[in-house]
Amino acid sequence: MLKQLGIGSGTFIMLMIVGFFVIKWAVRAALREVYYEIKGEKSPEELMVEQMMEDDEEKREEARQARQARREAKEAARIQKRQEKLSE
C-alpha cells in the first residue's frame, strides 16, 4: 500500500509520529479549555492575553498623550512665531 502511495516506510513512520504528537497537543488543549469552562475560571493563557491587552492599552494612551503634547507644543510655537512677526 505504501508503494502505491509513493512513500517509503521511514516516511510513513515519521508521519505517524508527527500525527501522534499533533493529535496529542490538540486533545490536551481541548481538555484544558473544557476544564476551565467547567470550573468557570480563566485559563492562564487568557489571563496573560488580558494582561498584555491592558499593557498595550496603557502604552497606546501614553502615546496619545505624548502626540497631543507635541501637537500643542507645535501650535504654541506657531502662535509665538506669528506674534513675533506681527510685533516686528
Side-chain angles (χ1 to χ4, degrees):
M1 181 175 114
L2 295 178
K3 298 263 188 211
Q4 292 172 348
L5 294 173
I7 60 173
S9 60
T11 305
F12 178 74
I13 291 171
M14 291 302 292
L15 289 173
M16 293 302 290
I17 291 171
V18 168
F20 170 78
F21 284 108
V22 167
I23 291 170
K24 180 180 173 183
W25 169 78
V27 168
R28 184 176 287 172
L31 287 175
R32 251 189 234 132
E33 187 175 323
V34 168
Y35 173 76
Y36 286 109
E37 282 182 17
I38 290 171
K39 286 196 83 172
E41 299 175 356
K42 293 185 179 180
S43 68
E45 292 86 9
E46 289 176 341
L47 294 173
M48 182 180 66
V49 168
E50 286 180 358
Q51 182 63 37
M52 287 172 35
M53 290 174 67
E54 288 173 8
D55 292 344
D56 187 50
E57 185 59 36
E58 290 171 4
K59 288 178 185 177
R60 286 180 185 209
E61 185 59 35
E62 290 172 3
R64 280 187 206 114
Q65 291 173 353
R67 189 169 49 245
Q68 184 65 27
R70 283 193 307 267
R71 286 180 183 163
E72 290 172 1
K74 280 183 180 180
E75 187 63 29
R78 285 185 199 137
I79 291 171
Q80 185 179 10
K81 209 176 210 182
R82 285 183 198 153
Q83 289 175 350
E84 288 174 359
K85 282 185 180 181
L86 291 175
S87 66
E88 290 177 357

